[in-house]
Amino acid sequence: MDLNGFDGQKRNILCLFDVDGTLTPAREKIDPQLDAFLKILRRKVKIGVVGGSDYNKIAEQLGEGDEVIHKFDYVFAENGTVQYKDRKLLSKQAIQNQLGEELLQDLINFCLSYMAVLKLPKKRGTFIEFRNGMLNISPIGRSCTFEERIEFSLIDKKEKIREKFVAALQEEFAGKGLCFTRGGLISFDIFPEGWDKRYCLDILETEGLEIIYFFGNETSPGGNDYEIFSDPRTVGYTVSSPEDTVRLCKELFGVQL
């Protein structure tokens, strides 16, 4: 499909972006030039974001206050279990209602016990973040500094800390209807089966869209972009950085700053 030269009337195309590693460095703010580029891109196509983080974190990274729901046609937080369209909240799910209190507590207790004996160069705070659609587990703790985040990421690549943690959870909770995916540099997510980023496609299927392009950086098996990237309802692209996202969109849509 040749999209070059397409004007503002072609609004039944959606570019759906992951956040960390795709539009911003992990947990960092969007670059002003990329922000300006997205405004131009939005004249040609609809744009949306789907992230694993909660709405407040996504809003903080992509703007000030609630700017994000004005900048994007769709905002899907927590893998799409919190949904915004045209600046309005559509729906919000609750993981405790899906899993039940007994299984939820078993998960939390197992994670706390596992991390209690895990020896790392540094540990900080907020090891389990309870979100609407998932549990986010961070062995180092989400309150670590940026430098500590990078340090843990390098150690994790070598020692497979998160990978081993997930393997232990998969063994302990086999058959319980749970999914585990890595995302960002310091954590992984636990959520009910079917509550990965494909969750947002249920609403998008009803929107009369001609095509949905998805852009993400964690698109290999085990990454939190893998399922939506490989879903037949999307045309998936793997990116390596926000700069790579811009490059690819320029090639696809002929958009220039």
Side-chain angles (χ1 to χ4, degrees), residues 136-139 142 152 162 181-189:
N136 179 262
I137 312 298
S138 176
R142 295 195 61 87
F152 173 83
R162 290 183 293 172
T181 61
R182 68 177 183 273
L185 301 177
I186 62 168
S187 65
F188 63 89
D189 299 324

Side-chain angles (χ1 to χ4, degrees), residues 62-77:
L62 299 181
E64 301 294 335
D66 287 316
E67 282 182 350
V68 65
I69 57 174
H70 296 271
K71 292 179 176 181
F72 294 86
D73 299 285
Y74 301 92
V75 176
F76 299 111

Side-chain angles (χ1 to χ4, degrees), residues 6-257:
F6 168 62
D7 62 22
Q9 296 303 309
K10 190 169 185 180
R11 297 283 291 158
N12 62 338
I13 300 288
L14 173 64
C15 286
L16 186 62
F17 300 96
D18 166 51
V19 182
D20 283 347
T22 300
L23 293 182
T24 75
R27 289 296 301 126
E28 297 294 303
K29 277 191 168 292
I30 191 169
D31 183 89
Q33 281 196 310
L34 177 49
D35 197 31
F37 176 80
L38 290 175
K39 290 178 183 177
I40 298 172
L41 179 64
R42 195 181 182 194
R43 298 172 190 167
K44 290 196 168 189
V45 299
K46 292 179 184 291
I47 62 173
V49 291
V50 55
S53 295
D54 61 44
Y55 171 78
N56 289 336
K57 289 187 180 69
I58 292 174
E60 179 185 359
Q61 289 178 253
L62 299 181
E64 301 294 335
D66 287 316
E67 282 182 350
V68 65
I69 57 174
H70 296 271
K71 292 179 176 181
F72 294 86
D73 299 285
Y74 301 92
V75 176
F76 299 111
E78 303 187 38
N79 285 358
T81 56
V82 178
Q83 305 177 342
Y84 287 85
K85 175 193 173 187
D86 297 333
R87 302 179 297 281
K88 295 179 181 178
L89 177 65
L90 296 183
S91 68
K92 182 185 294 186
Q93 304 301 320
I95 189 173
Q96 61 267 38
N97 295 338
Q98 183 73 9
L99 295 184
E101 192 63 32
E102 183 176 356
L103 177 55
L104 190 59
Q105 287 200 34
D106 287 345
L107 267 172
I108 292 171
N109 290 342
F110 183 91
C111 289
L112 289 172
S113 297
Y114 187 98
M115 287 186 286
V117 296
L118 188 63
K119 190 69 175 176
L120 300 173
K122 295 181 180 70
K123 280 188 179 179
R124 295 301 179 247
T126 314
F127 300 100
I128 299 179
E129 188 171 80
F130 189 94
R131 300 175 181 172
N132 290 287
M134 67 185 70
L135 297 178
N136 179 262
I137 312 298
S138 176
I140 186 177
R142 295 195 61 87
S143 63
C144 62
T145 66
F146 178 76
E147 291 74 19
E148 291 164 347
R149 180 183 292 262
I150 298 301
E151 179 187 31
F152 173 83
S153 175
L154 293 174
I155 295 169
D156 183 55
K157 286 179 181 178
K158 183 170 62 174
E159 299 186 13
K160 311 294 184 184
I161 297 164
R162 290 183 293 172
E163 184 178 316
K164 292 174 183 176
F165 198 161
V166 166
L169 281 159
Q170 289 172 327
E171 181 179 356
E172 180 72 17
F173 294 96
K176 299 294 185 180
L178 298 171
C179 288
F180 309 87
T181 61
R182 68 177 183 273
L185 301 177
I186 62 168
S187 65
F188 63 89
D189 299 324
I190 306 173
F191 49 84
E193 286 181 351
W195 284 29
D196 54 63
K197 287 182 179 178
R198 290 174 298 181
Y199 197 93
C200 72
L201 297 180
D202 292 341
I203 179 176
L204 293 176
E205 278 190 303
T206 69
E207 294 293 287
L209 296 165
E210 181 180 341
I211 190 168
I212 301 169
Y213 291 96
F214 174 75
F215 303 84
N217 68 313
E218 291 278 3
T219 58
S220 59
N224 64 3
D225 297 324
Y226 173 71
E227 289 84 3
I228 190 170
F229 168 80
S230 56
D231 191 283
R233 293 170 290 180
T234 69
V235 176
Y237 288 93
T238 302
V239 298
S240 58
S241 65
E243 294 76 18
D244 196 35
T245 301
V246 171
R247 177 196 62 77
L248 192 53
C249 286
K250 285 181 177 179
E251 291 178 4
L252 286 169
F253 305 107
V255 176
Q256 300 293 331
L257 275 171

